[in-house]
Amino acid sequence: MRAFDELRKLEIFFKEETSRGCSIVELYELVQHAGNILPRLYLLCTVGSVYIKSKEAPAKDVLKDLVEMCRGIQHPLRGLFLRSYLSQVSRDKLPDIGSEYEGDADTVMDAVEFVLQNFTEMNKLWVRMQHQVGKNLHVLSQIEGVDLEMYKEIVLPRVLEQVVNCKDELAQYYLMDCIIQVFPDEYHLQTLETLLNACPQLQSSVDVKTVLARLMERLSNYAASGAEVIEAQDNMPIAGVVTLYASLLTFTLQVHPDRLDYVDQILGACVKKLSGREKLDDSKATKQIVALLSAPLDKYKDIDTALKLSNYPRVMEYLNDETKKEMANVIIQNIMNNKTCISTAEKVDALFELIKGLIRDLDEDLRDEVLDEDFKEEQNSVARLIQMLQSDDPEEMLKIIHTVRKHILTGGPKRLPYTVPPLIFSSLKLVRRLEDRDESVSGDEASTTPKKIFQIVTQTIEALSSIPVPELALGLYLQCAEAANNCDLEPVAYEFFTQAYILYEEEITDSKTQVTSIHLIIGTLQRMHVFGVENRDALTHKATGLVLSQYVISQCSFRVLLCLKRALRIANAVQQMANATRGRSGSVVLLIEILNKYLYFYEKGVSQITVESIQSLIELIRSEMQGDNASSDPAADAFLASTLRYIQFQKDKGGAVGEKYKLIMVGVATNPEKGAKKHHSTAHPLVSTYTT
């Protein structure tokens, strides 16, 4: 320091000499002839300072010359002192914004290049002599022209490159700390990703945790300095804002994992910044919100902890529907991977609010997801989740069942077939637990009884009737009947069987499904021991009737088809005779009669009567009625209109029969345009096929 003070006096002397007429150019060349290199370079730096002030040469040329000449000293201690002096003597002569040395030839970039080059050379010396390299970084931070963009694109990458390449643990630790301490907080906020990416590249022995803790402390103090700090940056892109909070949350989880209040505070600050915005469509911002919400799950590996964060669901509200599904999948997978058990109704309610993107329709215009494999996998995940909801307390478990039921019934017809069965089986599992419960807490005194659970189960299965999936509902009724049998609840078991029979008779029309359903009914009935003689006889008699009915239908189906084919053959003969007499009304009425027989047996589940054959018959009838030589017949018109109204009625009524009639109505107009005469053909494909 004393030597630098003396050199400062020498600099003043040189300046006075130039004012008396001494040429600064000659003086700059003269000092380069000094005998020893170390004094020569100190003199050169001193005269170079005066040279820049004289403005007889561009500042960048002199600075470049000086920083290059100083390479002549490679002794670490002497080289560091020399370059430290160069940094000091040149700091007020850099071509910064507003500086007197800024001009057409000299720019801020020249100043940055000079300081970075001096820093690079000092860093090389620092590897051998770790001392005072950070002074260059301090100088860099004070250059007015180094704005955020330049810092982000040029300064920080170059500095980090040197830090990583030096391979010295002490130097890396010192320099990372220097970067954190000397540059502004807002620069760190905008370059967190770059800074963090450098950390894994440091030597394994570097105390990165302490470095990050200091960075966290700076950012925390910056955020705590006033609520307006972040809000004031109106021009910051929303993706940048969310990235900031995601990075800040990651730091907090690493440094203060036990402080959930810090985590919740950061989430709350993010909500405040996002308030007033619609759901995010920015893909980068959305990705960062997913990262923000995933961080606590990855850290604690426990959704129970995340449910304690009051601002967690508030952040999720800013995701679009598709990303809510993605986040819900992340939450469910976390629960599955960590085998987390959610044991209270309150937590279950909070959890299902978080994953509502998977359990209810959030958008009326969603694509048809029934055949979507991703949709099926999502719903299977929800089904597996329901099995994870358990409480040792029966009363609390019943509350959980109520809560789950409340949420899944909002799911609509596509989701209920996936979510209702696991809820039913969870309920029956609770019934089995109650069977083993101490008799002293059973009966009317208990707040949770099998009867109450069976009431809930019945109401839940009834929700499937609107979809409809009768075969699924029938199977669930039989499962419940068997559970009621084990509880010795004869009336309850009988009611479940009654509901199964009603479903079979009114909703199940497909012959194959009927056979499977009868097997299920008989198999379950065989295992029942709770029924008295009267109830068992009634149920057995009913099952026997169903078996006989199914047998008759299966045996008669072939004969039915033969009869219908013969009827069409006769109708075709009548048609030929009508052609000869120029009248067709009788043959058309006969065809409509045959159509009604087709519909009857189709409705009864005769598999040989197909949708295509019915549609072809309707087409044939219309062709006959609109042919060139057809005469008007009000009776035939009314008969056909009545038949088509019946088809439409069955379609609108819904249920399994309605679904069958929907297929018939595809491509069949109930009110065909009149007057559009069609060319009559006696060789219609339907008749041709059946008369062959």
Side-chain angles (χ1 to χ4, degrees):
M1 291 175 65
R2 287 176 58 191
F4 287 4
D5 287 340
E6 294 299 323
L7 289 171
R8 186 66 177 171
K9 295 176 183 177
L10 180 61
E11 180 183 359
I12 296 172
F13 169 78
F14 285 149
K15 186 176 180 181
E16 291 175 349
E17 286 295 306
T18 58
S19 63
R20 297 191 185 100
C22 178
S23 171
I24 186 62
V25 177
E26 293 178 359
L27 187 58
Y28 188 74
E29 292 178 355
L30 180 61
V31 296
Q32 295 185 45
H33 295 290
N36 295 321
I37 187 171
L38 186 60
R40 180 198 310 158
L41 291 175
Y42 274 102
L43 288 171
L44 188 64
C45 292
T46 306
V47 175
S49 174
V50 179
Y51 195 6
I52 295 172
K53 281 188 175 182
S54 70
K55 301 181 182 178
E56 293 187 25
K60 67 177 182 181
D61 293 343
V62 179
L63 291 172
K64 183 177 180 180
D65 191 41
L66 293 176
V67 79
E68 291 286 341
M69 294 291 286
C70 287
R71 287 184 178 177
I73 303 298
Q74 287 299 308
H75 186 283
L77 178 59
R78 293 170 182 167
L80 284 170
F81 274 107
L82 174 63
R83 289 190 175 276
S84 178
Y85 175 66
L86 175 60
S87 179
Q88 176 179 306
V89 80
S90 61
R91 62 185 302 174
D92 60 345
K93 303 173 185 67
L94 299 176
D96 194 4
I97 293 177
S99 168
E100 61 178 298
Y101 304 104
E102 185 187 28
D104 296 336
D106 300 312
T107 64
V108 173
M109 194 64 208
D110 298 320
V112 171
E113 281 293 333
F114 166 77
V115 177
L116 284 174
Q117 189 171 353
N118 200 43
F119 160 75
T120 300
E121 295 299 325
M122 288 188 77
N123 192 44
K124 294 175 182 177
L125 297 169
W126 169 253
V127 174
R128 302 191 299 268
M129 186 70 189
Q130 298 148 0
H131 184 67
Q132 298 247 339
V133 180
K135 183 176 290 188
N136 289 275
L137 298 179
H138 185 68
V139 173
L140 263 177
S141 69
Q142 292 183 326
I143 298 178
E144 293 294 332
V146 178
D147 56 11
L148 175 60
E149 192 64 29
M150 183 179 291
Y151 176 78
K152 182 190 298 185
E153 300 296 331
I154 299 173
V155 175
L156 184 60
R158 290 272 295 274
V159 172
L160 290 176
E161 180 185 6
Q162 291 301 318
V163 173
V164 172
N165 290 340
C166 75
K167 305 295 183 184
D168 183 87
E169 60 179 276
L170 292 177
Q172 288 179 338
Y173 174 82
Y174 170 73
L175 290 172
M176 290 296 289
D177 189 56
C178 285
I179 293 171
I180 291 169
Q181 298 302 328
V182 302
F183 289 105
D185 299 307
E186 54 269 25
Y187 284 23
H188 292 320
L189 294 176
Q190 295 293 333
T191 58
L192 275 174
E193 186 174 356
T194 304
L195 199 58
L196 291 176
N197 286 340
C199 291
Q201 302 178 55
L202 302 178
Q203 296 297 301
S204 58
S205 55
V206 175
D207 188 5
V208 177
K209 182 177 181 180
T210 302
V211 173
L212 296 182
R214 291 182 180 178
L215 177 60
M216 177 65 190
E217 184 179 358
R218 281 207 65 177
L219 296 178
S220 300
N221 293 336
Y222 179 64
S225 63
E228 72 283 353
V229 170
I230 298 175
E231 284 78 355
Q233 310 224 359
D234 295 331
N235 59 341
M236 184 186 294
I238 190 62
V241 172
V242 180
T243 301
L244 157 65
Y245 287 114
S247 301
L248 195 58
L249 182 62
T250 302
F251 279 130
T252 303
L253 291 170
Q254 292 297 328
V255 180
H256 301 292
D258 56 328
R259 295 299 301 267
L260 278 181
D261 55 328
Y262 285 177
V263 177
D264 206 28
Q265 184 178 354
I266 294 171
L267 294 174
C270 185
V271 170
K272 186 176 180 181
K273 186 64 178 176
L274 293 172
S275 61
R277 298 176 182 269
E278 297 294 332
K279 288 181 172 59
L280 294 178
D281 292 325
D282 186 320
S283 59
K284 187 174 181 181
T286 299
K287 183 179 179 181
Q288 287 301 320
I289 287 188
V290 172
L292 179 76
L293 295 170
S294 301
L297 301 178
D298 295 338
K299 178 63 179 178
Y300 299 117
K301 302 187 183 304
D302 181 10
I303 187 62
D304 194 39
T305 304
L307 292 176
K308 296 176 184 177
L309 302 170
S310 60
N311 289 305
Y312 195 93
R314 296 177 65 197
V315 176
M316 280 195 70
E317 288 302 316
Y318 290 96
L319 296 173
N320 57 40
D321 291 347
E322 197 61 36
T323 314
K324 280 182 180 176
K325 289 184 180 181
E326 179 185 340
M327 195 61 228
N329 274 317
V330 171
I331 292 172
I332 291 177
Q333 289 306 314
N334 180 271
I335 294 173
M336 296 299 174
N337 294 338
N338 297 293
K339 296 181 173 56
T340 307
C341 181
I342 313 299
S343 58
T344 68
E346 183 181 3
K347 291 178 180 178
V348 169
D349 191 46
L351 172 62
F352 273 65
E353 279 297 321
L354 290 180
I355 65 168
K356 61 186 178 183
L358 294 182
I359 60 176
R360 70 178 70 156
D361 294 333
L362 299 178
D363 189 342
E364 295 298 329
D365 297 323
L366 287 176
R367 69 187 190 283
D368 183 10
E369 296 172 309
V370 175
L371 299 178
D372 190 329
E373 290 301 322
D374 290 338
F375 173 79
K376 292 179 180 179
E377 181 56 37
E378 289 169 356
Q379 296 312 301
N380 286 331
S381 295
V382 175
R384 289 191 291 270
L385 172 65
I386 293 175
Q387 300 296 328
M388 301 288 291
L389 310 177
Q390 294 292 335
S391 174
D392 294 333
D393 178 23
E395 282 71 28
E396 188 64 33
M397 187 62 205
L398 183 60
K399 291 179 182 178
I400 290 175
I401 291 171
H402 275 293
T403 302
V404 174
R405 182 177 181 274
K406 175 187 71 174
H407 283 280
I408 67 171
L409 290 185
T410 65
K414 293 181 295 184
R415 292 173 169 78
L416 289 179
Y418 295 92
T419 54
V420 166
L423 179 59
I424 298 300
F425 288 116
S426 288
S427 302
L428 297 183
K429 188 186 298 183
L430 177 58
V431 169
R432 288 194 294 272
R433 286 171 51 193
L434 294 175
E435 293 175 40
D436 302 328
R437 192 165 65 171
D438 189 350
E439 291 295 331
S440 62
V441 294
S442 62
D444 296 334
E445 296 180 359
S447 59
T448 301
T449 64
K451 285 185 178 180
K452 290 182 180 180
I453 298 172
F454 284 130
Q455 289 175 356
I456 299 171
V457 165
T458 302
Q459 295 168 359
T460 306
I461 298 177
E462 286 174 356
L464 294 174
S465 62
S466 62
I467 302 178
V469 280
E471 61 275 19
L472 174 61
L474 184 143
L476 293 176
Y477 277 133
L478 294 177
Q479 289 280 348
C480 294
E482 197 162 353
N485 173 77
N486 296 333
C487 295
D488 291 327
L489 296 174
E490 181 179 3
V492 177
Y494 189 86
E495 179 60 27
F496 281 127
F497 260 96
T498 302
Q499 293 300 321
Y501 283 140
I502 292 173
L503 274 175
Y504 179 89
E505 292 177 335
E506 295 185 356
E507 300 293 340
I508 298 178
T509 58
D510 179 72
S511 58
K512 291 183 179 179
T513 307
Q514 286 177 335
V515 172
T516 304
S517 299
I518 289 175
H519 288 170
L520 283 175
I521 291 172
I522 294 174
T524 306
L525 187 58
Q526 195 174 23
R527 293 191 293 272
M528 305 295 285
H529 59 74
V530 72
F531 294 129
V533 175
E534 184 179 350
N535 284 338
R536 174 169 287 281
D537 286 347
L539 293 174
T540 304
H541 177 75
K542 185 66 177 177
T544 304
L546 294 178
V547 172
L548 289 174
S549 175
Q550 181 63 31
Y551 175 79
V552 169
I553 289 176
S554 62
Q555 292 298 313
C556 293
S557 294
F558 183 72
R559 299 295 302 170
V560 166
L561 186 61
L562 289 178
C563 290
L564 289 175
K565 285 183 177 181
R566 180 175 296 176
L568 274 175
R569 228 172 18 246
I570 294 171
N572 186 54
V574 172
Q575 174 186 324
Q576 300 300 325
M577 294 174 62
N579 287 342
T581 59
R582 300 279 182 177
R584 298 181 183 173
S585 60
S587 64
V588 170
V589 172
L590 186 56
L591 287 173
I592 299 173
E593 289 278 6
I594 295 173
L595 171 62
N596 278 268
K597 298 301 181 185
Y598 265 72
L599 294 176
Y600 172 80
F601 288 108
Y602 175 73
E603 197 171 305
K604 292 302 180 182
V606 176
S607 59
Q608 285 82 356
I609 307 301
T610 64
V611 172
E612 291 76 11
S613 62
I614 295 174
Q615 289 175 333
S616 295
L617 185 51
I618 294 173
E619 182 184 344
L620 173 61
I621 293 169
R622 286 180 171 168
S623 176
E624 290 296 322
M625 297 178 72
Q626 298 173 2
D628 294 336
N629 299 321
S631 59
S632 176
D633 184 352
D637 291 341
F639 194 5
L640 178 61
S642 176
T643 302
L644 294 178
R645 280 198 303 273
Y646 175 78
I647 295 174
Q648 185 65 41
F649 169 76
Q650 292 289 12
K651 170 183 173 291
D652 295 339
K653 187 170 70 173
V657 175
E659 289 297 317
K660 297 180 68 130
Y661 275 96
K662 278 183 183 178
L663 299 174
I664 295 177
M665 294 305 295
V666 174
V668 176
T670 56
N671 295 306
E673 293 184 6
K674 293 187 177 181
K677 298 290 185 178
K678 294 184 179 179
H679 177 66
H680 172 60
S681 173
T682 58
H684 191 276
L686 180 71
V687 177
S688 300
T689 301
Y690 286 162
T691 56
T692 301

